[in-house]
Amino acid sequence: MFKFVFNSYCLFLLLYGFFFLSCVGFNDMSLMAPVIVQATAKHTASLIFLHGLGDTGHGWSAGFEEIRAPHVKYICPNAPVNPVTLNGGFRMPSWFDIKSLSPSGSEDDVGIKTAAEGIKKIIDEEIKSGIPSDRIVLGGFSQGGALALYTALTMEKPLAGILALSSWLPLHKTFPEALKGNKDTSILQCHGTADPVVAFSFGELTNQALHKLCSKHEFKAYSGLSHNSSPQEMKDVRHWISKVLP
């Protein structure tokens, strides 16, 4: 049943990706700048949020506009267009290749690590602009949340917080050896109990792993929530952001 639902979702992403890319073009997509919601007061903190497979930063930027804090700049990068094995090799916005659904299955080791280095460069740019790393939150949804978790835990610079929505910890077998920093950084992990794409059981396994690795990890489950967000989840996200980026 789980496999059938996920394959249906993959078909949706394939059709969506074809429509989107036919509009913007492969080359245009690769050159798309991050979608940014600027601070409306003095800019003293930043939140970098990574979208899910087949998506862009536009949808999440709109979501953060609704809950934004005036001193925070929200940066929603766009993933490059890459072939996705699980979607029959179809090219779509993807931070790295997804080869399997099984926690013990093959993962795109090189792609995940390369993507993480790219996100670290975005963080470094914010630091160069005058925002200390401990005033930066890194987060994401689904595949983007997975990349956010891996990037944050394998970088040495301290962050203000880590936000993971409907996601998982990639290359989990490499931990705790791969852990370089942010083990005492606040982490908010949220997951819907009815998620047919990234199964709730994956969220629970990630919850268990993060509890062993990190000291300030919080896991919130949302009854009946599918592979998306909800007003209650975004309300909880806003409250958490207000605590880690006061």
Side-chain angles (χ1 to χ4, degrees):
M1 178 63 180
F2 174 70
K3 182 177 181 181
F4 171 78
V5 174
F6 190 96
N7 286 341
S8 298
Y9 177 76
C10 289
L11 177 60
F12 163 77
L13 286 177
L14 189 151
L15 294 174
Y16 169 83
F18 178 79
F19 170 77
F20 180 80
L21 293 173
S22 67
C23 294
V24 303
F26 290 121
N27 293 333
D28 291 341
M29 182 64 195
S30 65
L31 297 174
M32 284 178 66
V35 183
I36 296 176
V37 178
Q38 297 287 359
T40 57
K42 183 179 179 181
H43 174 209
T44 63
S46 296
L47 186 149
I48 301 168
F49 194 86
L50 313 177
H51 63 74
L53 178 67
D55 200 0
T56 71
H58 290 278
W60 283 102
S61 67
F64 282 113
E65 280 187 357
E66 296 183 3
I67 66 167
R68 64 180 173 180
H71 62 287
V72 179
K73 178 172 78 171
Y74 301 86
I75 304 168
C76 299
N78 292 291
V81 175
N82 288 311
V84 178
T85 299
L86 203 61
N87 281 358
F90 187 82
R91 294 173 61 83
M92 61 173 54
S94 178
W95 299 107
F96 52 86
D97 191 16
I98 297 181
K99 300 179 180 181
S100 169
L101 291 179
S102 170
S104 60
S106 176
E107 295 185 84
D108 182 12
D109 185 287
V110 173
I112 292 169
K113 292 177 179 178
T114 300
E117 291 304 312
I119 301 305
K120 290 174 186 176
K121 290 180 180 179
I122 297 176
I123 294 171
D124 286 340
E125 287 301 313
E126 282 302 288
I127 295 172
K128 290 178 183 178
S129 75
I131 304 300
S133 67
D134 61 3
R135 294 289 294 165
I136 298 174
V137 165
L138 179 61
F141 174 80
S142 193
Q143 187 193 42
L147 179 57
L149 282 172
Y150 183 82
T151 302
L153 297 179
T154 58
M155 62 181 286
E156 296 179 354
K157 294 185 177 73
L159 295 170
I162 307 165
L163 178 61
L165 308 182
S166 305
S167 51
W168 70 97
L169 178 63
L171 302 181
H172 61 94
K173 296 178 183 178
T174 65
F175 291 93
E177 289 76 16
L179 182 65
K180 292 184 179 179
N182 289 296
K183 64 179 181 179
D184 297 319
T185 295
S186 178
I187 302 175
L188 177 61
Q189 181 196 354
C190 302
H191 215 114
T193 62
D195 193 330
V197 180
V198 181
F200 183 66
S201 60
F202 285 18
E204 290 181 309
L205 289 173
T206 297
N207 173 33
Q208 295 170 16
L210 292 177
H211 264 303
K212 294 179 181 178
L213 294 171
C214 307
S215 65
K216 297 180 181 178
H217 170 252
E218 180 181 6
F219 180 65
K220 285 185 173 290
Y222 296 84
S223 179
L225 182 64
S226 184
H227 194 63
N228 49 37
S229 189
S230 70
Q232 183 58 55
E233 183 182 61
M234 293 306 289
K235 181 179 179 180
D236 292 339
V237 168
R238 178 174 59 183
H239 178 68
W240 176 80
I241 291 173
S242 71
K243 292 193 298 182
V244 299
L245 293 176

